[in-house]
Amino acid sequence: TVYTASVTAPVNIATLKYWGKRDTKLNLPTNSSISVTLSQDDLRTLTSAATAPEFERDTLWLNGEPHSIDNERTQNCLRDLRQLRKEMESKDASLPTLSQWKLHIVSENNFPTAAGLASSAAGFAALVSAIAKLYQLPQSTSEISRIARKGSGSACRSLFGGYVAWEMGKAEDGHDSMAVQIADSSDWPQMKACVLVVSDIKKDVSSTQGMQLTVATSELFKERIEHVVPKRFEVMRKAIVEKDFATFAKETMMDSNSFHATCLDSFPPIFYMNDTSKRIISWCHTINQFYGETIVAYTFDAGPNAVLYYLAENESKLFAFIYKLFGSVPGWDKKFTAEQLEAFN
Ligand code: DP6
């Protein structure tokens, strides 16, 4: 018999950024973070895992290409998952010994890899949940998120939908560093995200390298993790629970700027945003000023692409502006009224 399981894991985009590790092997962060998980129909990884006694070795296929499974991060995840399965098998002798068999894993993204679109987050989240499902592990999602964290820090947040916190924890072994859900997407269903792909070229400085340089060289970073983030974490969590978009948006934009400021304060400096990214930032502020209320928030990860958060009711107000800026909005171009377009001339 071949046992199989498939799952999808969506991309999550941090609104309070994880940047800095206190343990690089276990991916233990220097601060807690918050993110919004995109919907299953948008940017996601689909992973299938299979196991059978006759499989000869562990194999991994990513986007149609064979991929090495011998990297430390993947191995750490597989070891932990097999260990949990082994514990189940040792308590119940009637269970098939899946923990001893090799795994065949096939994974596919529906978006460009390594363009700063958090593909490692969805990738490791899907890998770990597919195997957890295959092994029928009884652990909670938060417990499984600790394993995904070892694959890629931000991956632990993609195990939950909606609004998610990754609590940094204090323990050296990382047992208290895991994701918890702040609110379900259905608790604040009006929230929407839009990705402006400025460039789909692979980023120069990976987040893993970048954050270590920041930890080692930036003075500003110390201020960020000691004072700025702990306060912001509480304010943002409350804004999500209370569905206070203006506060959520302000904290999201300020945190993106704070994170990119620590990148500039690293030595040598790291630049993830380009001129187009910066133009998008000023446009968002112009849009909010134009309407006299906060209707859009921007955030940038370790790359030039923008993610905008806005409420569904403001979509046409926002897209009319984007239309004017970029000359098109796929699927939307015919929906603007003449008055809306006129307003931005
Ligand atoms: C800027 O999770 O990719 O997107 O733990 O080394 O795999 P590793 O880093 P990764 O870093 C993500 C950084 C970020 C912010 C965030 O998602 O919180």
Side-chain angles (χ1 to χ4, degrees), residues 58 69-80:
D58 289 332
I69 203 159
D70 284 332
N71 59 82
E72 202 183 354
R73 291 166 169 235
T74 310
Q75 287 301 324
N76 285 345
C77 294
L78 296 187
R79 190 181 320 114
D80 284 9

Side-chain angles (χ1 to χ4, degrees), residues 201-263:
I201 298 169
K202 200 172 152 61
K203 58 194 171 194
D204 319 328
V205 184
S206 74
S207 24
T208 310
Q209 288 170 309
M211 62 178 88
Q212 285 327 101
L213 183 66
T214 305
V215 171
T217 62
S218 169
E219 283 294 322
L220 188 60
F221 171 76
K222 297 193 182 92
E223 172 70 15
R224 170 172 164 79
I225 60 166
E226 279 166 27
H227 304 291
V228 179
V229 170
K231 216 160 133 193
R232 177 163 294 142
F233 185 86
E234 292 311 324
V235 174
M236 195 179 283
R237 187 217 296 266
K238 186 162 172 272
I240 290 169
V241 171
E242 293 175 354
K243 295 188 252 182
D244 170 359
F245 185 79
T247 305
F248 169 81
K250 181 173 176 221
E251 297 297 325
T252 296
M253 293 185 277
M254 289 186 78
D255 196 70
S256 175
N257 298 340
S258 155
F259 149 51
H260 288 277
T262 67
C263 290

Side-chain angles (χ1 to χ4, degrees), residues 9-11 44-47 62 107 109 111 118-129 152 155 158:
V11 161
R44 55 99 188 117
T45 304
L46 167 65
T47 298
L62 288 185
S107 194
N109 291 336
F111 57 92
S119 58
S120 69
F124 276 104
L127 177 101
V128 169
S129 357
S152 177
S158 271

Side-chain angles (χ1 to χ4, degrees), residues 169-184:
K170 290 196 183 93
E172 259 176 49
D173 68 356
H175 73 266
D176 54 357
S177 185
M178 57 184 144
V180 294
Q181 197 182 45
I182 297 176
D184 197 73

